[in-house]
Amino acid sequence: MKLLRVGPAGKERPALLDETGSIRDLSGVIGDLSGDALSPDSLARLSAIAPESLPIVPGQPRIGPCVAGCGKFICIGLNYSDHAAESGMEVPPEPVVFLKATSSIVGPDDDIEIPRGGEKTDWEVELGIVIGSVAKHVDEADALSHVAGYCTINDVSERAFQIERAGQWTKGKSCDTFGPVGPWLVTTDEVPDPQALRLWLTVNGETMQDGSTATMVYGAAFLVSYLSRFMTLHPGDIISTGTPPGVGMGMKPQRWLAPGDVVELEVEGLGRQRQTVRAAV
């Protein structure tokens, strides 16, 4: 299934994308795509519903983040060896873990806002993992059974805040609009191998990133298991798994986003995003 949320920011309702590309309203079936609605039992019930029995959402509504009530937005740094190299850093012996504020989460086509004082706003296409059931000290072999599905993420970063102003990476990752998520939450039955997905990103039509999750240093199952040793993962938590090479920071000369730029990105089978960049108001 491809699940999504539509409507004005803060007032989204759950929906399903049918095989014809029509959006079907799920608000009469579940309250939202959060918490228990992401459990295996709930997803099984949703998959048993005939899409044609659900009302069509008319027009072209705004698509919001594909998950509501995210408790933790967990990111993995330097998880592609070639991206680590372009960043001038070594592949870490264990995953680099940092948190991105949940207030950064926006819809896949919402604008990216360069924050006040921002000088080096960058892009990062990433595979997102959405947790569907509580995971604590889970084995790698069982880890993916705790996953509700996958999504496309742009881990937008303000490198000056992240790298040049001391402290941890979080403050360069957490600005408003820095977490476009979606358009869809694609359930695991439609993604038989999360380590075999192409992912790409363009800026103003120019290809910047073109990679594959096959080259991730630490794969999806390992990451879920690893993170569950340090924190309990709950339904609706999002894991952003790292980015392939091609970010602005790694270019010579370096390149940063500017107002008016258009960013497009996609993870194979998980849907495309399109954002216009604007200055902070």
Side-chain angles (χ1 to χ4, degrees):
M1 289 183 296
K2 293 181 174 67
L3 303 171
L4 65 160
R5 300 172 66 247
V6 297
K11 297 181 180 179
E12 297 94 345
R13 62 187 189 274
L16 178 151
L17 189 75
D18 70 17
E19 292 184 355
T20 70
S22 296
I23 299 174
R24 301 279 181 165
D25 194 339
L26 278 173
S27 59
V29 181
I30 56 173
D32 211 338
L33 291 172
S34 61
D36 290 342
L38 300 171
S39 71
D41 288 346
S42 174
L43 295 179
R45 287 193 295 272
L46 293 180
S47 69
I49 297 172
E52 60 272 17
S53 70
L54 300 169
I56 289 180
V57 176
Q60 295 181 315
R62 169 188 173 270
I63 298 177
C66 60
V67 180
C70 173
K72 293 189 288 295
F73 196 173
I74 310 164
C75 298
I76 308 299
L78 306 175
N79 198 26
Y80 289 72
S81 57
D82 34 12
H83 170 56
E86 74 172 352
S87 302
M89 303 177 186
E90 296 183 359
V91 175
E94 293 189 34
V96 171
V97 179
F98 61 94
L99 296 178
K100 197 174 180 88
T102 57
S103 56
S104 71
I105 296 174
V106 291
D109 300 327
D110 292 343
D111 290 350
I112 292 172
E113 180 181 280
I114 296 176
R116 293 184 184 182
E119 302 172 351
K120 300 179 179 180
T121 302
D122 207 347
W123 56 83
E124 295 188 20
V125 59
E126 306 200 0
L127 168 68
I129 302 170
V130 178
I131 299 298
S133 60
V134 173
K136 183 175 182 178
H137 295 292
V138 299
D139 293 333
E140 185 175 350
D142 186 49
L144 296 186
S145 69
H146 295 271
V147 173
Y150 303 93
C151 62
T152 301
I153 292 176
N154 188 358
D155 176 22
V156 186
S157 309
E158 172 46 56
R159 303 299 189 187
F161 296 176
Q162 176 191 357
I163 296 171
E164 300 171 15
R165 298 188 58 176
Q168 299 179 347
W169 289 2
T170 299
K171 63 188 174 188
K173 298 283 190 170
S174 296
C175 303
D176 292 349
T177 76
F178 272 25
V181 174
W184 314 312
L185 167 60
V186 182
T187 51
T188 56
D189 57 300
E190 293 196 15
V191 188
D193 185 0
Q195 306 310 142
L197 304 175
R198 179 183 172 229
L199 61 173
W200 59 264
L201 180 146
T202 67
V203 178
N204 301 328
E206 181 182 352
T207 298
M208 300 298 178
Q209 294 183 275
D210 190 354
S212 170
T213 58
T215 64
M216 286 168 58
V217 178
Y218 302 106
F222 179 88
L223 290 173
V224 173
S225 173
Y226 179 84
L227 291 170
S228 78
R229 304 176 202 169
F230 303 101
M231 63 192 84
T232 301
L233 303 176
H234 293 96
D237 286 350
I238 299 171
I239 304 168
S240 200
T241 59
T243 198
V247 300
M249 181 176 63
M251 295 182 174
K252 293 182 175 57
Q254 293 178 325
R255 179 168 172 177
W256 313 113
L257 292 173
D261 284 345
V262 175
V263 182
E264 295 183 271
L265 59 145
E266 183 175 11
V267 179
E268 182 181 356
L270 306 185
R272 182 177 298 194
Q273 301 185 357
R274 185 182 190 276
Q275 297 112 27
T276 300
V277 181
R278 60 178 171 83
V281 293

